[in-house]
Protein backbone atom coordinates (compact mmCIF):
# COMPACT_ATOMS: atom_id res chain seq x y z
CA UNK A 1 0.00 0.00 0.00
CA UNK A 2 2.76 2.42 0.92
CA UNK A 3 4.57 1.62 -2.34
CA UNK A 4 1.55 2.54 -4.44
CA UNK A 5 1.16 5.77 -2.42
CA UNK A 6 4.82 6.70 -2.91
CA UNK A 7 4.59 5.88 -6.62
CA UNK A 8 1.45 7.99 -7.04
CA UNK A 9 3.09 10.95 -5.27
CA UNK A 10 6.28 10.48 -7.26
CA UNK A 11 4.36 10.52 -10.56
CA UNK A 12 2.10 13.43 -9.62
CA UNK A 13 2.36 16.58 -11.71
CA UNK A 14 3.18 18.73 -8.68
CA UNK A 15 5.88 16.31 -7.48
CA UNK A 16 7.54 16.24 -10.91
CA UNK A 17 7.32 20.05 -11.18
CA UNK A 18 8.97 20.63 -7.78
CA UNK A 19 11.69 18.07 -8.51
CA UNK A 20 12.50 19.55 -11.93
CA UNK A 21 12.02 23.30 -11.52
CA UNK A 22 15.21 24.87 -10.10
CA UNK A 23 13.30 27.60 -8.23
CA UNK A 24 10.37 25.63 -6.84
CA UNK A 25 12.11 23.55 -4.16
CA UNK A 26 14.17 26.42 -2.67
CA UNK A 27 11.17 28.78 -2.48
CA UNK A 28 8.90 26.15 -0.95
CA UNK A 29 11.68 25.32 1.53
CA UNK A 30 11.99 29.02 2.47
CA UNK A 31 8.26 29.16 3.29
CA UNK A 32 8.54 25.83 5.16
CA UNK A 33 11.42 27.09 7.30
CA UNK A 34 9.73 30.45 7.99
CA UNK A 35 6.49 28.76 9.04
CA UNK A 36 8.35 26.19 11.14
CA UNK A 37 10.33 28.84 13.05
CA UNK A 38 7.02 30.64 13.69
CA UNK A 39 5.48 27.40 14.99
CA UNK A 40 8.44 26.78 17.26
CA UNK A 41 8.82 30.39 18.42
CA UNK A 42 5.14 30.77 19.28
CA UNK A 43 5.01 27.41 21.06
CA UNK A 44 8.18 28.36 22.95
CA UNK A 45 6.39 31.49 24.24
CA UNK A 46 3.64 29.32 25.72
CA UNK A 47 6.02 26.59 26.92
CA UNK A 48 8.23 29.06 28.81
CA UNK A 49 5.08 30.39 30.51
CA UNK A 50 3.95 26.86 31.37
CA UNK A 51 7.35 26.10 32.88
CA UNK A 52 7.18 29.36 34.86
CA UNK A 53 10.33 30.72 33.22
CA UNK A 54 8.79 33.80 31.54
CA UNK A 55 5.59 35.87 31.26
CA UNK A 56 4.50 34.72 34.75
CA UNK A 57 2.07 37.65 35.04
CA UNK A 58 0.26 36.59 31.82
CA UNK A 59 -2.54 34.05 32.57
CA UNK A 60 -2.01 30.86 30.53
CA UNK A 61 -5.54 30.71 29.14
CA UNK A 62 -5.22 34.27 27.83
CA UNK A 63 -1.76 33.57 26.42
CA UNK A 64 -2.85 30.41 24.59
CA UNK A 65 -5.94 32.22 23.24
CA UNK A 66 -3.80 34.98 21.75
CA UNK A 67 -0.71 33.01 20.61
CA UNK A 68 -2.04 29.63 19.45
CA UNK A 69 -3.94 31.05 16.42
CA UNK A 70 -0.51 32.19 15.15
CA UNK A 71 0.85 28.70 15.83
CA UNK A 72 -2.01 26.99 13.97
CA UNK A 73 -1.79 29.21 10.88
CA UNK A 74 1.99 28.67 10.74
CA UNK A 75 1.58 24.92 11.33
CA UNK A 76 -0.91 24.55 8.47
CA UNK A 77 1.49 26.37 6.13
CA UNK A 78 4.40 24.22 7.38
CA UNK A 79 2.40 21.02 6.82
CA UNK A 80 1.35 22.06 3.31
CA UNK A 81 4.86 23.09 2.27
CA UNK A 82 6.30 19.99 3.95
CA UNK A 83 3.92 17.87 1.86
CA UNK A 84 5.06 19.65 -1.30
CA UNK A 85 8.73 19.09 -0.44
CA UNK A 86 7.95 15.42 0.23
CA UNK A 87 6.26 15.10 -3.18
CA UNK A 88 9.53 16.04 -4.92
CA UNK A 89 11.25 12.85 -3.72
CA UNK A 90 8.84 10.60 -1.78
CA UNK A 91 11.02 7.47 -1.93
CA UNK A 92 14.06 9.42 -0.70
CA UNK A 93 12.17 10.96 2.24
CA UNK A 94 10.41 7.72 3.16
CA UNK A 95 13.75 5.92 3.31
CA UNK A 96 15.33 8.63 5.45
CA UNK A 97 15.60 7.91 9.19
CA UNK A 98 15.64 11.61 10.19
CA UNK A 99 12.41 12.18 8.23
CA UNK A 100 10.68 9.24 9.92
CA UNK A 101 11.90 10.44 13.33
CA UNK A 102 10.52 13.92 12.55
CA UNK A 103 7.09 12.48 11.70
CA UNK A 104 7.00 10.40 14.91
CA UNK A 105 8.05 13.45 16.95
CA UNK A 106 5.28 15.53 15.32
CA UNK A 107 2.75 12.91 16.44
CA UNK A 108 4.20 12.98 19.97
CA UNK A 109 4.03 16.80 20.01
CA UNK A 110 0.37 16.59 18.98
CA UNK A 111 -0.33 13.99 21.67
CA UNK A 112 1.37 16.11 24.34
CA UNK A 113 -0.64 19.15 23.24
CA UNK A 114 -3.92 17.18 23.25
CA UNK A 115 -3.27 15.88 26.77
CA UNK A 116 -2.46 19.40 27.96
CA UNK A 117 -5.58 20.99 26.43
CA UNK A 118 -8.02 18.18 27.25
CA UNK A 119 -6.78 17.25 30.71
CA UNK A 120 -4.35 19.71 32.32
CA UNK A 121 -5.85 22.98 31.06
CA UNK A 122 -9.39 21.87 31.91
CA UNK A 123 -8.20 20.98 35.41
CA UNK A 124 -8.17 24.70 36.21
CA UNK A 125 -5.71 27.14 37.82
CA UNK A 126 -4.82 28.54 34.39
CA UNK A 127 -6.68 31.82 34.66
CA UNK A 128 -4.39 33.44 37.17
CA UNK A 129 -0.83 34.73 37.09
CA UNK A 130 2.02 32.93 38.86
CA UNK A 131 3.26 29.36 38.91
CA UNK A 132 1.22 26.47 37.52
CA UNK A 133 0.48 22.86 38.51
CA UNK A 134 3.22 20.27 37.89
CA UNK A 135 1.28 18.81 34.94
CA UNK A 136 1.47 22.13 33.09
CA UNK A 137 5.19 22.54 33.82
CA UNK A 138 5.89 19.00 32.56
CA UNK A 139 3.78 19.60 29.41
CA UNK A 140 5.82 22.75 28.67
CA UNK A 141 9.14 20.96 29.15
CA UNK A 142 8.10 17.95 27.03
CA UNK A 143 6.80 20.25 24.29
CA UNK A 144 9.94 22.37 24.00
CA UNK A 145 12.13 19.24 24.03
CA UNK A 146 10.11 17.56 21.26
CA UNK A 147 10.08 20.70 19.10
CA UNK A 148 13.84 21.15 19.46
CA UNK A 149 14.23 17.54 18.28
CA UNK A 150 11.85 18.20 15.35
CA UNK A 151 14.00 21.13 14.19
CA UNK A 152 17.17 19.04 14.58
CA UNK A 153 15.65 16.18 12.55
CA UNK A 154 14.55 18.64 9.87
CA UNK A 155 18.12 19.89 9.55
CA UNK A 156 19.51 16.34 9.53
CA UNK A 157 17.24 15.45 6.61
CA UNK A 158 19.13 18.05 4.56
CA UNK A 159 22.46 16.46 5.43
CA UNK A 160 21.47 12.82 4.93
CA UNK A 161 19.72 12.92 1.57
CA UNK A 162 19.83 14.76 -1.71
CA UNK A 163 16.73 16.97 -2.07
CA UNK A 164 16.03 15.85 -5.63
CA UNK B 1 37.55 41.86 -3.46
CA UNK B 2 37.02 38.19 -4.30
CA UNK B 3 40.79 37.72 -4.80
CA UNK B 4 41.50 39.27 -1.40
CA UNK B 5 38.86 37.06 0.24
CA UNK B 6 40.15 33.99 -1.61
CA UNK B 7 43.52 34.47 0.11
CA UNK B 8 41.80 34.43 3.51
CA UNK B 9 39.66 31.45 2.50
CA UNK B 10 42.75 29.46 1.43
CA UNK B 11 44.47 30.31 4.72
CA UNK B 12 41.37 29.31 6.72
CA UNK B 13 41.00 26.05 4.81
CA UNK B 14 44.58 25.12 5.73
CA UNK B 15 43.98 25.49 9.49
CA UNK B 16 43.55 22.28 11.54
CA UNK B 17 40.65 23.73 13.60
CA UNK B 18 38.81 24.60 10.39
CA UNK B 19 39.27 21.06 9.10
CA UNK B 20 37.89 19.70 12.38
CA UNK B 21 34.78 21.91 12.19
CA UNK B 22 34.25 21.15 8.50
CA UNK B 23 34.70 17.39 8.55
CA UNK B 24 33.22 16.45 11.93
CA UNK B 25 29.83 15.21 10.70
CA UNK B 26 27.62 16.50 13.50
CA UNK B 27 29.09 19.99 13.91
CA UNK B 28 27.47 21.90 11.00
CA UNK B 29 23.96 20.35 11.36
CA UNK B 30 24.02 20.97 15.12
CA UNK B 31 25.17 24.57 14.71
CA UNK B 32 22.54 25.13 11.98
CA UNK B 33 19.86 23.73 14.33
CA UNK B 34 20.90 26.19 17.05
CA UNK B 35 20.94 28.97 14.42
CA UNK B 36 17.35 28.13 13.39
CA UNK B 37 16.19 28.09 17.03
CA UNK B 38 17.68 31.58 17.50
CA UNK B 39 16.00 32.73 14.26
CA UNK B 40 12.70 31.45 15.72
CA UNK B 41 13.17 33.56 18.86
CA UNK B 42 13.94 36.73 16.86
CA UNK B 43 11.19 36.32 14.24
CA UNK B 44 8.51 35.39 16.78
CA UNK B 45 9.35 38.45 18.87
CA UNK B 46 9.17 40.68 15.77
CA UNK B 47 5.89 39.04 14.71
CA UNK B 48 4.16 39.43 18.08
CA UNK B 49 5.34 43.05 18.41
CA UNK B 50 4.07 43.84 14.87
CA UNK B 51 0.71 42.13 15.48
CA UNK B 52 0.32 43.73 18.92
CA UNK B 53 0.94 47.12 17.33
CA UNK B 54 -2.20 46.67 15.22
CA UNK B 55 -4.16 45.17 18.15
CA UNK B 56 -4.31 41.70 16.63
CA UNK B 57 -2.65 39.79 19.46
CA UNK B 58 -1.60 39.92 23.12
CA UNK B 59 -3.95 42.70 24.26
CA UNK B 60 -3.51 41.80 27.95
CA UNK B 61 -0.11 43.49 27.74
CA UNK B 62 0.82 46.87 26.27
CA UNK B 63 3.25 47.05 23.37
CA UNK B 64 5.86 48.42 25.80
CA UNK B 65 5.35 45.39 28.09
CA UNK B 66 5.70 42.95 25.18
CA UNK B 67 8.87 44.76 24.14
CA UNK B 68 10.19 44.37 27.69
CA UNK B 69 9.28 40.65 27.58
CA UNK B 70 11.22 40.05 24.36
CA UNK B 71 14.15 42.45 24.72
CA UNK B 72 16.71 40.33 26.60
CA UNK B 73 15.72 37.11 24.79
CA UNK B 74 16.11 38.76 21.39
CA UNK B 75 19.51 40.23 22.30
CA UNK B 76 20.67 36.80 23.54
CA UNK B 77 19.36 35.17 20.34
CA UNK B 78 21.23 37.74 18.21
CA UNK B 79 24.51 36.85 19.96
CA UNK B 80 23.77 33.17 19.36
CA UNK B 81 23.10 33.96 15.67
CA UNK B 82 26.44 35.75 15.44
CA UNK B 83 28.34 32.90 17.11
CA UNK B 84 26.68 30.11 15.11
CA UNK B 85 26.96 32.18 11.92
CA UNK B 86 30.71 32.53 12.50
CA UNK B 87 31.08 28.77 12.98
CA UNK B 88 29.12 28.09 9.75
CA UNK B 89 31.29 30.61 7.87
CA UNK B 90 34.43 29.00 9.29
CA UNK B 91 33.20 25.55 8.23
CA UNK B 92 32.58 26.55 4.61
CA UNK B 93 34.15 29.99 4.02
CA UNK B 94 33.98 29.83 0.22
CA UNK B 95 30.26 28.99 0.33
CA UNK B 96 29.55 32.12 2.38
CA UNK B 97 32.15 34.79 1.69
CA UNK B 98 32.11 34.47 -2.12
CA UNK B 99 28.31 34.32 -2.25
CA UNK B 100 26.51 37.56 -3.16
CA UNK B 101 23.39 36.49 -1.26
CA UNK B 102 25.47 36.09 1.91
CA UNK B 103 26.85 39.61 1.41
CA UNK B 104 23.34 41.00 0.81
CA UNK B 105 22.18 39.20 3.95
CA UNK B 106 24.91 40.84 6.04
CA UNK B 107 23.97 44.30 4.75
CA UNK B 108 20.31 43.57 5.55
CA UNK B 109 21.27 42.45 9.07
CA UNK B 110 23.07 45.75 9.74
CA UNK B 111 20.19 47.84 8.36
CA UNK B 112 17.62 45.80 10.33
CA UNK B 113 19.58 46.13 13.59
CA UNK B 114 19.69 49.91 13.16
CA UNK B 115 15.91 50.10 12.52
CA UNK B 116 15.22 47.66 15.40
CA UNK B 117 17.41 49.74 17.73
CA UNK B 118 15.41 52.89 17.02
CA UNK B 119 12.13 50.97 17.38
CA UNK B 120 13.36 49.58 20.69
CA UNK B 121 14.19 53.09 21.97
CA UNK B 122 10.73 54.35 20.99
CA UNK B 123 9.07 51.41 22.77
CA UNK B 124 11.15 51.98 25.90
CA UNK B 125 9.90 55.58 26.01
CA UNK B 126 6.29 54.60 25.21
CA UNK B 127 3.57 55.08 27.81
CA UNK B 128 1.86 51.72 28.56
CA UNK B 129 -1.66 53.19 28.55
CA UNK B 130 -1.30 54.88 25.14
CA UNK B 131 -1.80 53.05 21.82
CA UNK B 132 1.26 52.87 19.56
CA UNK B 133 1.68 55.64 16.99
CA UNK B 134 1.56 54.96 13.26
CA UNK B 135 5.34 55.32 12.93
CA UNK B 136 5.95 52.70 15.63
CA UNK B 137 3.49 50.27 14.03
CA UNK B 138 5.06 50.79 10.61
CA UNK B 139 8.58 50.33 12.02
CA UNK B 140 7.50 47.11 13.77
CA UNK B 141 6.19 45.67 10.49
CA UNK B 142 9.30 46.84 8.66
CA UNK B 143 11.52 45.05 11.19
CA UNK B 144 9.42 41.88 10.80
CA UNK B 145 9.67 42.04 6.99
CA UNK B 146 13.43 42.63 7.23
CA UNK B 147 13.95 39.54 9.44
CA UNK B 148 11.83 37.47 7.03
CA UNK B 149 13.99 38.74 4.16
CA UNK B 150 17.16 37.89 6.08
CA UNK B 151 15.95 34.36 6.86
CA UNK B 152 14.95 33.93 3.20
CA UNK B 153 18.41 35.04 2.07
CA UNK B 154 19.94 32.65 4.61
CA UNK B 155 18.17 29.68 3.04
CA UNK B 156 19.02 30.81 -0.50
CA UNK B 157 22.75 30.85 0.30
CA UNK B 158 22.58 27.07 -0.04
CA UNK B 159 21.18 27.29 -3.56
CA UNK B 160 22.70 30.32 -5.24
CA UNK B 161 26.02 32.01 -5.39
Amino acid sequence: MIDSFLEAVSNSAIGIYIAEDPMAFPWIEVVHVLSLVTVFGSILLVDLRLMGLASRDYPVNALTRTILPITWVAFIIAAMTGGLLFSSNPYGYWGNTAFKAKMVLLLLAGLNMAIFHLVTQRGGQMDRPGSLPAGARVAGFVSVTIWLAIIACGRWIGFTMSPF
Amino acid sequence: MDEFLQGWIDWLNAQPFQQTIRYTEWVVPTVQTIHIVAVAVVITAALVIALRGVELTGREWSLARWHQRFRSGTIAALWVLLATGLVMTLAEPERELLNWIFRAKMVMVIVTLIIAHFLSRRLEQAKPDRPAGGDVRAAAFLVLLCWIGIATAGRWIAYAG
Side-chain angles (χ1 to χ4, degrees), chain B residues 128-147:
Chain B
D129 54 340
R130 291 260 184 90
D135 57 336
V136 170
R137 292 201 299 265
F141 265 99
L142 182 60
V143 168
L144 173 64
L145 288 176
C146 285
W147 285 125

Side-chain angles (χ1 to χ4, degrees), chain B residues 5 14 25 69 76 101 140 143 151:
Chain B
L5 286 171
E25 262 181 46
R69 159 69 183 82
I101 294 182
V143 168

Side-chain angles (χ1 to χ4, degrees), chain A residues 22-23 25-27 29-30 33 155 158-159 161 163-164, chain B residues 28 32 36 88 92 94-103 105 150-161:
Chain A
M23 305 295 274
F25 191 95
W27 275 117
E29 196 188 26
V30 162
V33 170
R155 208 67 292 275
F159 283 86
M161 67 174 280
F164 307 114
Chain B
V28 173
Q32 284 191 3
I36 290 170
M88 287 190 282
E92 295 172 291
E94 62 283 339
R95 178 190 189 241
E96 314 280 357
L97 299 177
L98 299 178
N99 190 317
W100 69 270
I101 294 182
F102 174 80
R103 293 173 190 174
K105 180 184 170 184
I150 289 164
T152 302
R155 201 74 285 276
W156 266 98
I157 289 170
Y159 295 102

Side-chain angles (χ1 to χ4, degrees), chain A residues 25-27 29-30 33-34 37-38 40-42 45 48 54-55 57-58 62 66 70 148 151-152 155-156 159, chain B residues 28-30 32-33 36-37 40-41 43-44 47 51 57-61 65-66 69-70 148 151-152 155-156 159:
Chain A
F25 191 95
W27 275 117
E29 196 188 26
V30 162
V33 170
L34 283 171
V37 297
T38 308
F40 175 75
S42 57
L45 258 180
L48 289 173
S55 318
D57 53 335
Y58 209 120
T66 199
I70 296 172
L148 283 171
I151 291 179
R155 208 67 292 275
W156 248 268
F159 283 86
Chain B
V28 173
T30 304
Q32 284 191 3
T33 300
I36 290 170
V37 168
V41 171
I43 285 191
T44 303
L47 177 66
L51 292 178
T57 200
R59 289 186 198 177
E60 276 78 2
W61 278 356
R65 178 68 185 90
W66 273 112
R69 159 69 183 82
F70 287 130
I148 289 171
T152 302
R155 201 74 285 276
W156 266 98
Y159 295 102

Side-chain angles (χ1 to χ4, degrees), chain B residues 117-133:
Chain B
H117 173 71
F118 283 107
L119 175 64
S120 179
R121 285 185 62 175
R122 284 293 306 272
L123 289 172
E124 276 164 18
Q125 295 159 358
K127 294 197 169 82
D129 54 340
R130 291 260 184 90

Side-chain angles (χ1 to χ4, degrees), chain A:
Chain A
M1 185 180 140
I2 192 70
D3 275 339
S4 55
F5 168 72
L6 294 176
E7 192 178 345
V9 174
S10 184
N11 291 328
S12 65
I14 189 79
I16 292 167
Y17 170 73
I18 295 166
E20 291 181 353
D21 187 279
M23 305 295 274
F25 191 95
W27 275 117
I28 295 167
E29 196 188 26
V30 162
V31 179
H32 186 67
V33 170
L34 283 171
S35 50
L36 193 65
V37 297
T38 308
V39 170
F40 175 75
S42 57
I43 285 179
L44 182 65
L45 258 180
V46 176
D47 288 343
L48 289 173
R49 171 66 187 97
L50 291 176
M51 288 188 283
L53 297 176
S55 318
R56 286 166 61 92
D57 53 335
Y58 209 120
V60 169
N61 284 345
L63 189 66
T64 54
R65 259 196 314 273
T66 199
I67 295 298
L68 290 189
I70 296 172
T71 313
W72 276 111
V73 170
F75 182 80
I76 290 165
I77 298 169
M80 286 167 59
T81 49
L84 291 172
L85 296 175
F86 177 84
S87 75
S88 71
N89 185 2
Y91 288 103
Y93 282 106
W94 190 251
N96 185 281
T97 307
F99 174 79
K100 285 180 183 166
K102 186 179 173 181
M103 294 302 109
V104 171
L105 286 163
L106 280 168
L107 287 175
L108 290 175
L111 189 65
N112 179 58
M113 189 183 69
I115 292 169
F116 171 71
H117 286 304
L118 297 175
V119 181
T120 316
Q121 200 169 15
R122 285 185 184 177
Q125 300 181 30
M126 301 285 171
D127 263 330
R128 57 180 170 78
S131 60
L132 298 166
R137 294 200 298 272
V138 170
F141 178 76
V142 170
S143 170
V144 79
T145 306
I146 291 174
W147 279 101
L148 283 171
I150 288 170
I151 291 179
C153 284
R155 208 67 292 275
W156 248 268
I157 292 169
F159 283 86
T160 50
M161 67 174 280
S162 166
F164 307 114

